Amino acid sequence: MNYFFSKKAIPNYSVWAITLMSSYVMKISDLGKSRELIYYLVSECMLWFFLGVLLTGVIQIGLETFTKNKKVTVKALYLVLLMLIASVIFNYVFWPLIDLLHEYFLNKSSYHGKFATRIFNWLNWIIWFVSFTAFNLYTEVKEAKMKNLVLQATLKESQLNTLKGQINPHFMFNSLNNIRGLMLEDVGKARQMLTSLSETLRYALTQNSITTIALEDELEMVEKYIDISKIQFENRLHYETVIDNSSLSVQIPPMLVQMLIENAIKHGISKLKEGGRVLLSTKVDSEKLFISVINSGVLKKDNKTTQVGVENIKKRLELLYESKAVFSLEEREKEVVAIIEIPLL
């Protein structure tokens, strides 16, 4: 019944309605105005419309039934065959009924000629075929786009989950390495660091199932990570912040700032004997959130590291914001500057 009471029936109803309107304009001007003419036109309209919709609906049902999972050429052959059958029914069933109505209401023979009837008949089928094909094409393209969007969303979600799975192991690997270094030097500090690590990981795990969090919540995690790092680096690590209060409620991907800070310490401060500073700043400007992390050191690619953090940041920003988010990493006067621009949604 989909081809009679759903969007699939739109070509059928619209084509036959348009055909009837154009036909009746001609008939009214040709036959004049009378009560009998009105009766005839109303009866013909009901019969024409009902049989036209019925026949085209049957063709659609036949195509769906006999050409399911078939090639385009097979579908085309069935369509031509079904249209020929419907045309025969039109010529030998439909038009004789119309002629009977004409003779009954108007008391005179029908003026429909056989040749004119066939031309008009095929004209109707051609109009219907074009409408039906265009509607089907539009529907298929629309459905394909929707499926593609769903597929892309599913793929993005899968990729994001994979990337999220890299965050905690990466963070934990670095922290455990730090704890291992302290075990032989200061057991008390190592114990304290383990406690801080467990609190940080507990927080991180609660955020692993969501796509975005408020920057304010992210900064809490950063502070805990800095506490862990200061146990190892002591006075070698100087951490500063310049936070725009208007940025605190902005939603960002979880662990984004934490990974910037982690990379700044691991690839910057840890390489300097005298240590250095890490400056975190945020601001909102021109409908964008700017996150900047500046650390002492030089931008030097270390072949021994996998650069998981930087690549993770780039991929997540691309998946979530496409080209609307920008990530840059460069060296300026013996300092490494990482800047992220995120559009305000």
Side-chain angles (χ1 to χ4, degrees), residues 242-266:
V242 180
I243 306 299
D244 181 357
N245 288 333
S246 63
S247 68
L248 293 176
S249 60
V250 177
Q251 295 289 314
I252 65 169
M255 303 289 286
L256 189 68
V257 179
Q258 187 271 331
M259 295 191 78
L260 283 178
I261 298 295
E262 184 177 349
N263 276 279
I265 295 175
K266 179 182 177 182

Side-chain angles (χ1 to χ4, degrees), residues 68 74 85 112 122 150 206 225 231 243 255 262 291 298 333:
K68 191 174 183 179
V74 176
I85 294 173
H112 299 132
W122 275 103
V150 172
T206 60
Y225 178 77
I231 295 174
I243 306 299
M255 303 289 286
E262 184 177 349
I291 302 172
V298 295
E333 299 179 357

